[in-house]
Amino acid sequence: MNIADRIQHLRKSKGISQEELADKIGVSRQAVSKWESEQTSPDLDKIILMSDFFNVTTDYLLKGIEPLPKETTAPKDKPNGNIFAIVGTAFNFMGIIVSAMIWYEKQVETATAIGLIFVVIGCMTYGIGMIVSDEATKHRAKQTFFSINVWTITFIPLSIAYNVLMGVGGISPYPVIRNPLVGIVAFWIIYIGIGGFVELKIIKNKKEHNQ
């Protein structure tokens, strides 16, 4: 393993992109990319900055004679963040399904309140997970949670807004079709537009992280 490999390994172990590392040490992303592809080597002052940032010695970066920092070699005693992302997602889906079932049977606004409570619990579960989970798993957990839950978290609030604007009796947890149909068309355009925008941002962030 040479210096290029060590820089890349430390960066990925910390769960950051080339751009994020570049920001931390005051260089361009292209500079980091060239270091990792062995096109150029970092100056001594950048070696020192990276050694502080990664909590390793300069000797390790230059010669590879030091062990990796404890945070990358110690046994993982913190939970996997993906577990919290999955559990939070399950609560959010349950919120939509349970509230829709109750509303379909009884048409009571309590159904919508129950759905929102489930969504809040799901988001809180994910949020707590991002605090207590292992650092190396957080990035993937964030991508997993938001790529799915941009569709679940926004569904009930957008449905409430649509139903209020369309004058639907009661606050349903899903959009109730009313004339003019342009209303339901606008709902789906906005809903898919928000979800699609977030998905594109996640894909872009994932590509940058994997560089």
Side-chain angles (χ1 to χ4, degrees), residues 25-70:
I25 60 176
V27 297
S28 66
R29 188 196 67 79
Q30 289 76 11
V32 175
S33 177
K34 288 181 179 180
W35 296 343
E36 293 186 359
S37 60
E38 299 183 69
Q39 297 180 47
T40 61
S41 296
D43 295 332
L44 182 59
D45 61 326
K46 303 307 178 186
I47 292 287
I48 295 172
L49 288 173
M50 282 190 288
S51 72
D52 290 338
F53 179 67
F54 290 124
N55 192 29
V56 297
T57 64
T58 54
D59 280 343
Y60 172 75
L61 281 171
L62 292 169
K63 303 175 184 178
I65 61 174
E66 292 289 332
L68 292 175
K70 291 182 180 180

Side-chain angles (χ1 to χ4, degrees), residues 74-175:
K76 295 181 179 179
D77 55 358
K78 292 185 177 181
N80 191 316
N82 290 291
I83 296 174
F84 293 91
I86 292 171
V87 173
T89 299
F91 272 111
N92 291 342
F93 270 114
M94 287 173 61
I96 294 175
I97 294 170
V98 171
S99 62
M101 290 175 61
I102 295 174
W103 179 269
Y104 183 78
E105 291 292 331
K106 300 181 179 180
Q107 285 80 49
V108 292
E109 295 181 358
T110 305
T112 304
I114 291 173
L116 290 174
I117 290 171
F118 268 94
V119 171
V120 170
I121 293 174
C123 292
M124 288 179 63
T125 300
Y126 164 75
I128 292 171
M130 291 303 96
I131 296 173
V132 303
S133 61
D134 184 76
E135 190 70 31
T137 65
K138 288 183 181 180
H139 185 78
R140 178 64 61 84
K142 289 178 182 178
Q143 291 181 336
T144 300
F145 184 82
F146 285 106
S147 65
I148 298 174
N149 290 281
V150 62
W151 306 104
T152 61
I153 294 172
T154 57
F155 186 78
I156 294 180
L158 284 177
S159 296
I160 293 173
Y162 162 83
N163 290 325
V164 170
L165 290 173
M166 296 301 294
V168 176
I171 302 177
S172 168
Y174 56 82

